[in-house]
Amino acid sequence: MDRSKQNKYSSNEKNDNGDGDSVLNGHFDGMVKRAAGGPQAPGAESAPHRSTSAVMESWKEERTRSLEDNEMSLPSLAAAYTTILRGLGENPQRQGLLKTPWRAATAMQFFTKGYQEKIIDVLNDAIFDEDHDEMVIVKDIDMFSMCEHHLVPIFGRVHIGYLPNKRVLGLSKLARIVEIYSRRLQVQERLTKQIAVAITEALQPTGVGVVIEATHMCMVMRGVQKMNSKTVTSTMLGNFREDPKTRDEFLRLIKS
């Protein structure tokens, strides 16, 4: 993901324009994409006018790869890496590279293991009724992902805050949500929003804020090669978006 500036602040909540190619939590606009020109379901709201609260609970149905799929696809992935090595002018039969295609294929499956996990699997037993309505923040969550444009790492920190609405989430599950969505081919902007929407769909809090600070190796190792550049993205939903005081409190606390 090429960036022309060393420091970028992107507020994703302003980009929810409902165009046909936007992706939310692994689904096009969080809904089943209708065929072009097809009839709209009775009572369905068109994408440009659909609020976040009306998004289908896609977090419950998003696994796209299984462990069995991993086993079946491993030979073809390894063969693809063998082809890459030859294309780079290397000899896949030399001693140091004999097992590299299999190692690389296994590593890539691990880097993208979020495709074989579902949010509901980790949240169902960790949502608790609690009469608490003050801000909850978990900050400095380590994050590793893969740039979908260049297949090189993105790494950094995620800060999450939410205002409970009579229900709270086990704190470690916030980190698990980050892990599930980050272990996929990603762009940082989409990752930020997916985390925020998943928490909103699962808890129905009065507000959610997510900020990600990350380094993109596609900017460091290639392209502009800016070693100290960082990209900052944010998604604010509910009170975090509508109430400046709530938003300012969250931003102040994650920097403290």
Side-chain angles (χ1 to χ4, degrees):
M1 180 189 340
D2 290 337
R3 299 284 188 270
S4 60
K5 295 183 179 180
Q6 293 189 16
N7 291 287
K8 175 183 176 185
Y9 187 91
S10 172
S11 184
N12 289 316
E13 64 273 16
K14 296 180 180 178
N15 294 330
D16 189 16
N17 55 15
D19 61 49
D21 290 331
S22 63
V23 179
L24 198 59
N25 285 11
H27 296 264
F28 285 94
D29 262 350
M31 304 175 69
V32 177
K33 197 172 184 182
R34 293 188 296 272
Q40 183 170 333
E45 191 175 0
S46 61
H49 303 289
R50 184 174 43 80
S51 66
T52 300
S53 62
V55 172
M56 179 186 295
E57 290 187 337
S58 57
W59 62 287
K60 292 184 178 180
E61 300 293 340
E62 60 187 7
R63 183 184 289 121
T64 60
R65 198 176 82 202
S66 66
L67 293 175
E68 291 76 14
D69 292 333
N70 282 352
E71 294 178 5
M72 292 178 62
S73 64
L74 189 58
S76 60
L77 278 175
Y81 276 109
T82 299
T83 301
I84 290 173
L85 290 174
R86 288 198 181 99
L88 295 174
E90 267 289 359
N91 175 16
Q93 298 304 312
R94 71 178 177 84
Q95 185 180 26
L97 295 177
L98 278 176
K99 295 183 179 180
T100 295
W102 289 91
R103 292 190 189 105
T106 303
M108 184 58 73
Q109 288 182 338
F110 179 81
F111 296 154
T112 60
K113 67 186 180 74
Y115 289 121
Q116 64 199 46
E117 298 176 323
K118 292 173 67 174
I119 296 294
I120 195 171
D121 293 339
V122 300
L123 296 194
N124 260 356
D125 61 348
I127 297 176
F128 307 101
D129 295 330
E130 193 68 40
D131 188 19
H132 181 76
D133 59 2
E134 298 297 328
M135 192 177 299
V136 177
I137 295 176
V138 177
K139 65 179 186 176
D140 295 326
I141 301 170
D142 291 331
M143 179 274 296
F144 299 92
S145 191
M146 295 287 287
C147 167
E148 68 178 32
H149 300 147
H150 303 98
L151 299 185
V152 293
I154 303 169
F155 60 92
R157 299 179 300 167
V158 181
H159 314 293
I160 300 173
Y162 72 95
L163 286 170
N165 184 17
K166 305 300 182 181
R167 296 197 301 173
V168 297
L169 183 63
L171 297 178
S172 67
K173 304 305 180 183
L174 294 172
R176 289 293 300 275
I177 291 174
V178 172
E179 182 75 0
I180 288 174
Y181 284 119
S182 64
R183 293 294 187 176
R184 302 179 181 190
L185 302 183
Q186 281 285 12
V187 294
Q188 185 174 326
E189 296 87 343
R190 181 172 68 235
L191 172 61
T192 311
K193 190 164 189 177
Q194 285 178 326
I195 294 169
V197 171
I199 296 168
T200 299
E201 292 175 345
L203 283 181
Q204 297 299 311
T206 58
V208 174
V210 177
V211 173
I212 299 180
E213 308 170 58
T215 297
H216 293 242
M217 296 308 290
C218 56
M219 283 187 67
V220 174
M221 295 177 64
R222 57 163 299 282
V224 293
Q225 299 182 60
K226 299 302 181 185
M227 297 293 294
N228 298 311
S229 64
K230 285 189 177 181
T231 299
V232 181
T233 51
S234 74
T235 293
M236 305 290 172
L237 302 177
N239 283 1
F240 282 74
R241 181 175 183 175
E242 297 163 3
D243 183 2
K245 291 183 178 180
T246 300
R247 182 169 59 251
D248 290 346
E249 178 185 357
F250 169 62
L251 294 174
R252 185 178 69 253
L253 288 173
I254 65 174
K255 293 177 181 178
S256 63

